[in-house]
Structures are given as C-alpha cells and as structure tokens.
Amino acid sequence: MTSPEQLRTGERADLLQALRQHRAFLRRTVDGLTDEQAARRSTVSELCLGGLIKHVALTEQSWLRFAVDGADAMRAGQEDWADGFRMGDETLAALLDRYARVAATTDELIATLDLDAAHALPAAPWFEPGATWSVRRVLLHVIAETSQHAGHADILREAIDGAKMMG
C-alpha cells in the first residue's frame, strides 16, 4: 500500500506531477472558447480542440484499464477510433467534465497500483509481438500522449484566435 508520503515525494509523485502539468497545458488551450470554437477545424486535418480533449480522455481511460486488467479490458467500451477525435453533439464543458473524472480515477490508481505489474500488449502492428508493458510504462505513455496532444492543441488554438498557451 502506498503511504500518503509516497504520493508527495518519489516516483509516484513525479509521475503524477508530470501528468497533471500536461493535463493543465491541454485544458488551458480551451480556456474561454465557445463550443463552436472548440469544434472548429483550424487546419486541413479533422482535428479540433474539443476532439483532442475527448481523445486524450478516452486514451487515458483505455490505457489505465489496460494497466489494471490487461489488453482485453482496454477494448471495453471502445468507440470508433475516428469518432474519438470528433466533438459531435457534445459540449466542451461536458468533454472537460469527462476528462476531469478520468483524471481523478487515474490519479487514484497511481496511488494504488503496483508500478512493476505488467500485461501483454494487445496485438497491433505498432507493438512488438509478445511485448509487455508495466504500469510505470503505461503512465509514461499517457504522459507522452497528453504532452504531444497539448502541443497539437496549442497550434490549433493559435490558428483559431491567435492565442498562444505555451509560448
């Protein structure tokens, strides 16, 4: 069991702090936007800010399912991949609320999961056959995904109204 002190210092604290920082960068990119602006495609791609929030929440949720129960759990409730980048009829507030709930669940899991526990990755062309990831590796991946998409979001936001969130 993880002690309260271990959540304030050490590896778990570092992982949690890094993830929270990149989540905040991502959330900041949508500050003050309307639903219309969050759904606007500001580049030639399908990406929109609301869609990125939705995608990152789904990705974090999916990877933490994997961390807890393995590859089969990762597929549970999996939506159409492309739809995971679209805002659809959802509001930005609803997407941010969902992301906050996913984040809270992840934060609780960081406090309790064995970081060395590992599961075999699902079969996919982008994973080495038979590879396994530890919970630690999953968390590092979620941090990287969140960071990468926060950068994408910063570019999209700048194209919408000139605002720069990270520079």
Side-chain angles (χ1 to χ4, degrees):
M1 187 67 164
T2 305
S3 72
E5 179 60 28
Q6 288 172 307
L7 293 177
R8 287 189 292 275
T9 63
E11 181 179 21
R12 289 175 195 273
D14 290 346
L15 291 167
L16 188 56
Q17 188 278 333
L19 183 53
R20 285 177 174 168
Q21 178 182 21
H22 292 289
R23 284 181 189 140
F25 288 151
L26 178 59
R27 291 177 70 92
R28 193 176 314 147
T29 63
V30 298
D31 281 351
L33 291 182
T34 65
D35 290 339
E36 272 185 354
Q37 289 172 311
R40 184 177 305 150
R41 292 175 36 214
S42 60
T43 67
V44 297
S45 78
E46 292 290 325
L47 290 178
C48 68
L49 288 167
L52 277 177
I53 298 288
K54 181 178 180 179
H55 168 73
V56 171
L58 289 169
T59 299
E60 183 172 321
Q61 183 177 48
S62 179
W63 275 110
L64 268 292
R65 281 190 194 125
F66 170 86
V68 172
D69 291 318
D72 289 340
M74 191 176 202
R75 294 186 252 293
Q78 195 173 38
E79 300 175 27
D80 172 42
W81 185 82
D83 187 54
F85 284 96
R86 294 186 192 107
M87 233 174 117
D89 293 334
E90 297 154 301
T91 65
L92 180 57
L95 292 171
L96 288 168
D97 183 57
R98 179 179 184 181
Y99 189 30
R101 289 191 313 272
V102 167
T105 299
T106 298
D107 292 358
E108 288 174 17
L109 288 170
I110 290 172
T112 60
L113 291 176
D114 175 359
L115 298 179
D116 293 319
H119 299 287
L121 290 169
W126 46 87
F127 295 133
E128 180 182 334
T132 62
W133 276 11
S134 67
V135 170
R136 179 181 295 101
R137 178 67 183 92
V138 168
L139 293 173
L140 292 170
H141 180 71
V142 170
I143 292 166
E145 278 274 326
T146 306
S147 175
Q148 177 182 0
H149 288 311
H152 294 150
D154 196 35
I155 293 166
L156 296 177
R157 175 65 188 259
E158 186 176 356
I160 289 171
D161 64 2
K164 294 181 183 181
M165 301 297 117
M166 290 192 260

